[in-house]
């Protein structure tokens, strides 16, 4: 399967979700608002107290993170990118009153920000095989790193999940492999979070550190 076909399938999947469930946690395929915000807290550890830093939200969905960030004191420029134009329409509508936010579905509009955050974009592989999807993840991490000046964070389902709960349409990444990859390719300043009660891992990658 070529990369463009893969991207088309991803776009179609999430467009279908937001059409079915609207601008809700289910519209971006999460079980609850509580778990969605728990993920935000882990991912935003990359930003720490740099409340004026700019952020790319790579795979922003309907913009829930933009609202969460503003509610928790983050003031920097926010750029939300999503493959699904319908997600972007929902984001522009739902978050219209949030200042300093821009939402778009054109990858060419991505510009470097201080930090890039990617939540949930690596979970649903649908019919792709694991090797193909893993290469897609690595290619996407290269893109995310290139649009970040201080660091980036991302999450994925963990290969340490209980086997009887795993689904064939989902990707379960090896936390050790991805930690090693990030250290070797991006920065030796990498933190792996595997302790927040969900069957997933969050990686924080700090760039341009001494």
């Amino acid at each position: 399967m070529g990369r463009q076909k893969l991207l088309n399938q991803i776009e179609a999947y999430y467009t279908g979700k937001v059409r079915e469930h609207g601008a809700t946690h289910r519209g971006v395929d999460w079980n609850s608002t509580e778990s969605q915000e728990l993920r935000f807290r882990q991912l935003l550890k990359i930003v720490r107290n740099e409340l004026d830093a700019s952020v790319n939200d790579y795979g922003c969905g309907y913009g829930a993170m933009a609202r969460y960030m503003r509610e928790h004191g983050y003031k920097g420029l926010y750029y939300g990118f999503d493959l699904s134009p319908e997600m972007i329409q929902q984001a522009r509508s739902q978050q219209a009153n949030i200042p300093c936010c821009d939402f778009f579905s054109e990858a060419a509009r991505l510009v470097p920000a201080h930090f890039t955050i990617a939540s949930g974009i690596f979970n649903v592989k649908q019919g792709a095989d694991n090797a193909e999807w893993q290469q897609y993840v690595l290619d996407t991490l290269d893109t995310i790193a290139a649009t970040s000046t201080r660091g980036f964070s991302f999450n994925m389902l963990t290969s340490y999940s209980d086997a009887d709960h795993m689904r064939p349409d989902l990707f379960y990444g090896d936390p050790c492999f991805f930690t090693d990859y990030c250290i070797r390719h991006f920065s030796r300043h990498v933190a792996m979070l595997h302790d927040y009660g969900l069957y997933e891992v969050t990686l924080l990658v700090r760039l341009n550190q001494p």
Side-chain angles (χ1 to χ4, degrees), residues 32-75:
S32 68
T33 300
E34 291 75 20
S35 67
Q36 185 181 32
E37 293 189 352
L38 175 57
R39 293 177 176 96
F40 292 165
R41 290 197 294 275
Q42 311 313 309
L43 292 160
L44 284 166
K45 289 177 181 178
I46 191 65
V47 183
R48 293 189 289 202
N49 294 322
E50 299 180 54
L51 301 182
D52 293 324
S54 57
V55 171
N56 285 323
D57 186 356
Y58 195 99
C60 65
Y62 62 91
M65 183 175 286
R67 182 166 297 279
Y68 180 89
M69 290 176 66
R70 292 297 183 259
E71 290 173 351
H72 288 81
Y74 295 94
K75 303 173 184 176

Side-chain angles (χ1 to χ4, degrees), residues 20 44 47 52 58 79 97 113 118 123 128 135 141 145 148 151 154 160 166 169 188 204:
E20 181 178 3
L44 284 166
V47 183
D52 293 324
Y58 195 99
Y79 304 99
N97 63 334
N123 292 348
Q135 187 58 54
L141 291 179
S148 312
F154 63 96
Y160 293 105
M166 289 182 170
D169 60 322
R188 63 189 177 91
L204 313 177

Side-chain angles (χ1 to χ4, degrees), residues 5 29 32 47-48 76 179 181 192:
K5 186 175 181 181
D29 218 15
S32 68
V47 183
R48 293 189 289 202
T179 299
Y181 182 88
M192 180 179 74

Side-chain angles (χ1 to χ4, degrees), residues 9-125:
Q9 288 191 0
I10 295 168
E11 185 274 323
Y13 178 86
Y14 285 101
T15 294
K17 287 294 180 181
V18 77
R19 285 177 178 174
E20 181 178 3
H21 300 293
T24 67
H25 62 274
R26 296 186 67 192
V28 287
D29 218 15
W30 293 130
N31 291 329
S32 68
T33 300
E34 291 75 20
S35 67
Q36 185 181 32
E37 293 189 352
L38 175 57
R39 293 177 176 96
F40 292 165
R41 290 197 294 275
Q42 311 313 309
L43 292 160
L44 284 166
K45 289 177 181 178
I46 191 65
V47 183
R48 293 189 289 202
N49 294 322
E50 299 180 54
L51 301 182
D52 293 324
S54 57
V55 171
N56 285 323
D57 186 356
Y58 195 99
C60 65
Y62 62 91
M65 183 175 286
R67 182 166 297 279
Y68 180 89
M69 290 176 66
R70 292 297 183 259
E71 290 173 351
H72 288 81
Y74 295 94
K75 303 173 184 176
L77 296 174
Y78 167 98
Y79 304 99
F81 164 72
D82 200 279
L83 290 173
S84 169
E86 292 202 27
M87 281 288 191
I88 294 301
Q89 289 179 9
Q90 288 283 355
R92 289 171 177 167
S93 173
Q94 296 294 319
Q95 321 306 344
N97 63 334
I98 299 180
C100 302
C101 290
D102 189 15
F103 296 97
F104 50 88
S105 59
E106 302 84 12
R109 291 188 55 191
L110 278 167
V111 297
H114 293 128
F115 299 98
T116 300
I117 293 172
S119 181
I121 67 172
F122 299 135
N123 292 348
V124 185
K125 67 184 180 70

